[in-house]
Amino acid sequence: MSAEPSLDAIDLTDASVWEQGAPHEWLDRLRTNDPVHWHEEPDGPGFWALTRHDDVRRVSTAPLEFSSYVGGPLRLDPPEDGLGQVRMIIIGMDPPEHRAFRSIVSKAFTPRMIARLEDSLRAETARVVAELRDRDHCDFVTDVAARIPMWSISELMGVPEADRHRLYELSHALIDDQDPEVAPTPETSTEASIEIFGYASEMAARERAHPSGSLTNVLLDAEVDGRKLTDIEFTLFFMFLIVAGNETTRTASSHGLLALIEHPDEHQRLVRDPTLVPNAVEEILRWEPPIHHFRRTATADLRIGDQPIAAGDKVLMWYAGANRDPAVFDDPHVFRADRSPNPQLSFGIGEHFCLGANLARLSLRLLFAELLQTIDDIELRSPPRRLHSNLINGIKEMQIGYRVRPSAG
Ligand code: HEM
């Protein structure tokens, strides 16, 4: 019998591996054999790869020890001139500055505020899903999953309908820049960010002239330490909210349907008992985290578990590893629509816990409730086309066939 290949052969930076689906066999081996694993990287100094639920929680809830500010939230250090900009976005800040910036928008995302959006979000979801009734197939990503998050973030930010599609394309090019089909050249994402910058200034001018009460308006009026946001701070905040609101919820919706197609018994269980939809949404998020990892940088000589970590070391939290940790989840590789409790970490945890989590959860619950009522016998017409990225767990295209339920009219 041949020995297992060494852990050093594991390369979590390789986007073409993630493009085939999260490498659970690798993540399991790391968690079992070396849960705080030193991982070399071809384009940097290396990083600690975390695959245990407990370790991700430990690092994510200690922002002063494990900083988002020092090296930003992404694996590769930004270029010298880029780091300054990353540090102006809340996801690249540490306390206490982070708290001040986060509180500008956190009021807009409380369960109470999101509940106010519920009726119109339900109506929009019903409209999008109703279009499926005229056919027996669609590309679920473009025809359904992409439309609802763009609609909700645009409503919140006050983006006029005519501009939404372009803004969606730009946010895609910006964040999915590892995929040559989405961003064929490095210039594509640079050009996208220049265009979004231009657009944000137009929005600012429009909102100043005719304040609409939107979140864009809130950003323009906000004060941090007794001063307004600078133009660049405003623009980066605007851009980040558009991108964060779009990519992730679309990904979760597409993976959610895929999980139901691949687990027909669980699908039928939901059809029989739609009160399980909120549990199913948590399980979908656990099963396929829309974001593969975020990064922190150690600010001092520290420990994670028994492993000493040196000041300046990079630490990557692999959410798919944490979400299938058998110390926390029974049968972690089994998809259970009714799993409870389900402390999945796909929204992060602690200081930077996803601001959009309430909105994302509501959107996903409404979408799956509507889909269950409207279509059945769902099947893949071809294998889903996945994004080439070690950051975003995206699906670019998912052609499905289905039967419209007679009761859906
Ligand atoms: C299923 C959907 C979503 C997932 C899986 C997700 C995931 C995440 C994760 C993992 C973080 C933590 C970052 C870190 O620890 O460094 C985060 C932060 C954030 N998310 Fe989400 N997100 C989703 C939807 C949204 C939506 C809809 C919005 C906005 C409308 C949003 C806005 C944000 C913001 C502003 C932050 C930064 C919070 C901070 O730094 O304090 N997200 N998200």
Side-chain angles (χ1 to χ4, degrees):
M1 215 171 76
S2 63
E4 280 197 329
S6 136
L7 295 182
D8 293 337
I10 290 176
D11 183 1
L12 295 175
T13 68
D14 186 347
S16 57
V17 168
W18 292 92
E19 192 177 353
Q20 308 304 314
H24 288 294
E25 195 217 328
W26 280 358
L27 296 167
D28 284 350
R29 278 181 57 211
L30 288 176
R31 196 190 313 97
T32 307
N33 299 304
D34 194 19
V36 185
H37 171 70
W38 181 251
H39 190 302
E40 302 288 348
E41 53 186 350
D43 41 7
F47 56 85
W48 296 102
L50 306 187
T51 42
R52 267 196 314 220
H53 192 277
D54 222 32
D55 295 334
V56 170
R57 170 186 284 271
R58 145 104 177 96
V59 164
S60 211
T61 53
L64 293 175
E65 292 179 340
F66 295 99
S67 164
S68 299
Y69 176 87
V70 172
L74 302 181
R75 178 176 69 85
L76 290 177
D77 288 335
E80 198 61 26
D81 55 337
L83 186 58
Q85 286 200 359
V86 172
R87 290 171 168 174
M88 284 185 214
I89 308 177
I90 53 172
I91 201 167
M93 294 178 185
D94 289 341
E97 192 192 20
H98 173 253
R99 294 280 160 88
F101 274 78
R102 184 170 161 119
S103 72
I104 296 175
V105 287
S106 59
K107 279 192 219 74
F109 289 102
T110 59
R112 209 161 57 103
M113 291 301 282
I114 296 305
R116 283 217 207 152
L117 195 69
E118 181 163 350
D119 287 347
S120 53
L121 184 56
R122 178 179 284 113
E124 178 62 16
T125 306
R127 239 190 321 272
V128 169
V129 174
E131 288 178 22
L132 299 180
R133 292 178 186 172
D134 305 331
R135 297 182 281 163
D136 63 359
H137 66 279
C138 70
D139 169 16
F140 186 75
V141 178
T142 310
D143 295 336
V144 181
R147 289 173 59 190
I148 300 164
M150 189 62 209
W151 181 88
S152 21
I153 193 69
S154 299
E155 288 290 306
L156 278 171
M157 306 293 291
V159 174
E161 244 177 273
D163 302 341
R164 293 179 184 178
H165 186 66
R166 182 67 190 140
L167 209 49
Y168 166 77
E169 287 177 344
L170 292 173
S171 92
H172 200 29
L174 201 68
I175 185 82
D176 299 332
D177 61 348
Q178 292 178 22
D179 191 311
E181 197 177 273
V182 181
T185 62
E187 289 78 46
T188 319
S189 69
T190 318
E191 282 161 17
S193 76
I194 293 170
E195 201 175 327
I196 297 193
F197 266 56
Y199 186 74
S201 326
E202 279 173 38
M203 279 289 291
R206 214 165 24 214
E207 286 282 349
R208 283 198 179 104
H210 307 285
S212 72
S214 70
L215 198 50
T216 305
N217 210 189
V218 170
L219 291 179
L220 289 167
D221 286 349
E223 291 200 352
V224 174
D225 295 335
R227 64 163 181 90
K228 290 255 162 70
L229 300 189
T230 62
D231 282 353
I232 180 90
E233 283 169 343
F234 161 78
T235 303
L236 289 168
F237 217 141
F238 177 86
M239 191 162 91
F240 179 65
L241 286 172
I242 297 281
V243 173
N246 250 314
E247 297 296 310
T248 46
T249 319
R250 176 181 77 224
T251 295
S253 308
S254 308
H255 274 297
L257 191 71
L258 182 59
L260 296 186
I261 293 172
E262 288 176 343
H263 301 89
D265 292 348
E266 294 304 287
H267 182 188
Q268 287 315 314
R269 190 177 197 178
L270 283 177
V271 171
R272 284 194 304 275
D273 183 1
T275 63
L276 288 176
V277 166
N279 296 60
V281 164
E282 297 309 299
E283 182 68 345
I284 287 165
L285 290 164
R286 182 186 79 85
W287 193 244
E288 291 286 353
I291 296 174
H292 293 313
H293 68 271
F294 273 127
R295 167 227 178 136
R296 301 292 188 261
T297 307
T299 56
D301 291 345
L302 298 160
R303 299 187 88 80
I304 302 175
D306 296 332
Q307 179 62 53
I309 307 288
D313 282 355
K314 288 200 266 189
V315 180
L316 264 62
M317 303 174 285
W318 294 95
Y319 298 119
N323 281 354
R324 296 207 187 187
D325 184 341
V328 175
F329 301 98
D330 295 338
D331 302 329
H333 294 296
V334 177
F335 180 86
R336 283 193 192 137
D338 64 347
R339 188 180 285 277
S340 175
N342 190 342
Q344 52 83 13
L345 291 178
S346 295
F347 289 122
I349 186 167
E351 185 74 19
H352 292 272
F353 177 74
C354 177
L355 257 180
N358 294 322
L359 176 60
R361 284 187 160 123
L362 177 65
S363 307
L364 293 167
R365 289 172 188 175
L366 293 174
L367 174 63
F368 284 100
E370 198 65 36
L371 283 171
L372 291 172
Q373 283 176 27
T374 310
I375 60 172
D376 205 354
D377 297 341
I378 312 166
E379 58 181 24
L380 290 176
R381 288 243 167 136
S382 50
R385 292 181 53 243
R386 304 179 64 134
L387 191 72
H388 179 83
S389 170
N390 57 33
L391 177 67
I392 305 281
N393 189 9
I395 297 185
K396 290 191 283 195
E397 184 184 349
M398 192 163 85
Q399 297 291 345
I400 58 163
Y402 54 83
R403 180 177 64 82
V404 176
R405 284 183 174 277
S407 58

